[in-house]
Amino acid sequence: PAMLITLCYLYLWARWGPRSAALVRSTVRRLHRSRCSFTFCARQPQPEERVCLRIGGKVFCTGEAQFLDDLNRWSVLLSPFIHPEKLLPAEHIAFVTESISAQTENLQKGPDSSKEIVKWSDFCSPLAYKPGEPFKLIAEASVDNFSSLGIAFLEDRLQMDNGMVPHRIVSVHLEESALKELALEKEVKEKSTEMDAVTPAGKSASGRGEEEKSKLEEEKEQEPGAGEHHLHLSSCHECLQLENSTIESVKFASAENIPELPDHCSSRREEKEAECLEKGMKRMNLAGKPPNILIYLGSEAAKARFEQVKAVLRECIDAESYTIYQLQQEQVLRDPWVENSLLLVIATQEPIPESSHKQFMAFLSKGGKILGFSSSFTFGGVQIKHKHKLRKAVHELVVSRKDSTEVKLSLLLSGCVFEEGVKADASRVKVLSRLNNADKDTVIVHLTHGSSGGEAILSQAHLELDSNSMDVQTEEDFNLLKMSNSSRCEVLKEILTCLGLSCELSEIPALTPIYLLSPDEEIHLAFLKWLEGNVDAEGLRTSSKVSLKFVSSWEPKVEVTPSLVPVVTEMGSFSSEHFNLKTYQQHLQTKKLGKILLFTEVTTTTMNLLDG
């Protein structure tokens, strides 16, 4: 038996050793709906746990389901704007991550810097935490993102945001009722905080007790080293309170609530929900998908083709609201793009591999949108028929518009048309365009899929090509395409709008200066005094990406540029309809954090302002 076990182990290592990531992903995908748990840990497995993979001193194993229904000792990280019924989306996994300080058990290093680092928060959404040793975080992630975290843990590539060392990741069955109760608790506490903040003179009903507490805090602050509290955020309960207080102060002082994802608008104020959704629509769809557009070209690696399709899309959509990437063939099954993309553009006539087709259908099932440019992709009983005489031919077609009108234009054809098969569901298929020929061939169709809003518009007419295309062979074709160019753009914009994208070009606002603010005059003056020794003779502080020029006042005629931004130090000249410094001061509950503010209404990015 020992020899048999050894041989089996050697076979598994030979079979999966180089593909440990594939083993983890396939196991989690296959078993996540069953009543079992997945554990990634740096210890010996328990007798009841089944080891699936061992890498160095770490193991991946499965075991009996672990339930987490008592959250009384956990502190919630959920925003009060999240709808409780949507805390755990379908096909997501809830899990607990345990991390320990680097000094514990003589751990002197974090993730292996020579490998590609995976940041914990980039792959999941934290829900609650419990301070202590180990420090525990409850989070939720998609099946693939959970696998990615586990793989990074096994390969020493996982980095925790709080600087601690991840020690164990275990999936749990989370009682949604417990999460709802925790979310409601936070909401009640925040309402209580709001009430306390408007109590006269800042005193609460406890009166003397609060004063005594304040004195104790002052004495503590005067202790050696007590005044310098180094921020390490989520690894420390006090830092979390300080951070949350500052963020809440900004929210209170802003003219309107800083919105979370559109799907997470306040359930307490239904009348504001529509407004919040409308503001977020340009950045997110109703399913909460990030505003990423992917272009799939099959095995084609031609950068020119990608840039061509990308340029056409940017001419039609609000380019400031979306980011366009290429989806490579090898990324289709490997990367977690399904949950992180709004639109997939399929722009290749190559046959779609069956595995890729399944992934595209999964994308539609989760509310994704697909636009096909003369591709072989189809579904729902709609079939593709080849007509050789139409290949690379410029032909007139009639497009049905949303307002029930029709527009005629000439486009280059792929040589294929659509036909509804016997299995086609007529309620899910809508013909948008036919050729103006005897057969009235269908060239653009609109298909829906699933119950989450998934839909696709597929075209066998080259909407992405104009008269400059290399495939245009005669002067007559060139002239027909040129005359139809404006109509082509209009039709493409209507199609993109139908798929939920914004095609209204937003006006880019002018950059504004930065204002140096402080609710504490003494701290403000001390900061200005420090500043004197840290700027040049002209009040300039330079960095690699942007320079800050400190001035006492600002005139609108002075230009603000992405590389040179004036910082106004005189608070008397500050006024904004979007931010109230007095309100901010009333809600700030810290002694030092948040006492110096840089406020600007329009900037290219805040990431570069304090670079260096």
Side-chain angles (χ1 to χ4, degrees), residues 590-610:
T590 62
K591 290 185 172 64
K592 291 185 177 180
L593 188 67
K595 294 297 176 74
I596 294 291
L597 295 130
L598 293 178
F599 176 85
T600 183
E601 293 187 346
V602 182
T603 187
T604 52
T605 171
T606 58
M607 296 295 290
N608 298 336
L609 291 179
L610 301 178

Side-chain angles (χ1 to χ4, degrees), residues 382 397-402 405-406 418-420 424-435 439-448 456-458 495:
V382 174
L397 54 147
V398 181
V399 180
S400 301
R401 304 192 64 174
K402 193 175 182 180
T405 62
E406 292 183 341
F418 294 109
E419 285 187 343
E420 289 188 40
D425 184 352
S427 65
R428 290 184 173 272
V429 181
K430 182 180 179 182
V431 175
L432 296 184
S433 177
R434 298 181 186 272
L435 290 183
D439 295 331
K440 302 296 181 186
D441 293 309
T442 300
V443 287
I444 304 179
V445 291
H446 178 265
L447 309 174
T448 59
I457 293 181
L458 310 177
I495 286 174

Side-chain angles (χ1 to χ4, degrees), residues 250 288 498:
V250 173
C498 180

Side-chain angles (χ1 to χ4, degrees), residues 65-115:
Q66 299 200 28
F67 292 86
L68 191 61
D69 51 9
D70 183 10
L71 299 177
N72 289 330
R73 296 187 179 183
W74 294 77
S75 299
V76 73
L77 289 170
L78 294 167
S79 163
F81 298 108
I82 293 179
H83 292 297
E85 66 271 15
K86 295 177 182 175
L87 293 174
L88 288 174
E91 297 297 303
H92 277 220
I93 293 177
F95 61 97
V96 174
T97 303
E98 297 179 3
S99 54
I100 55 179
S101 59
Q103 289 75 27
T104 305
E105 298 181 8
N106 296 319
L107 290 169
Q108 298 298 324
K109 65 184 184 74
D112 187 342
S113 59
S114 65
K115 302 176 182 177

Side-chain angles (χ1 to χ4, degrees), residues 253-255 574 576 578-585:
S254 298
F574 172 74
S576 172
H578 302 297
F579 184 79
N580 187 303
L581 184 60
K582 188 174 181 181
T583 306
Y584 175 86
Q585 181 179 8

Side-chain angles (χ1 to χ4, degrees), residues 262 276-286 322 500 502:
C276 181
L277 285 171
E278 186 179 347
K279 286 178 181 176
M281 275 300 289
K282 286 187 179 180
R283 298 293 298 171
M284 298 275 183
N285 74 335
L286 288 172
Y322 304 98
S502 170

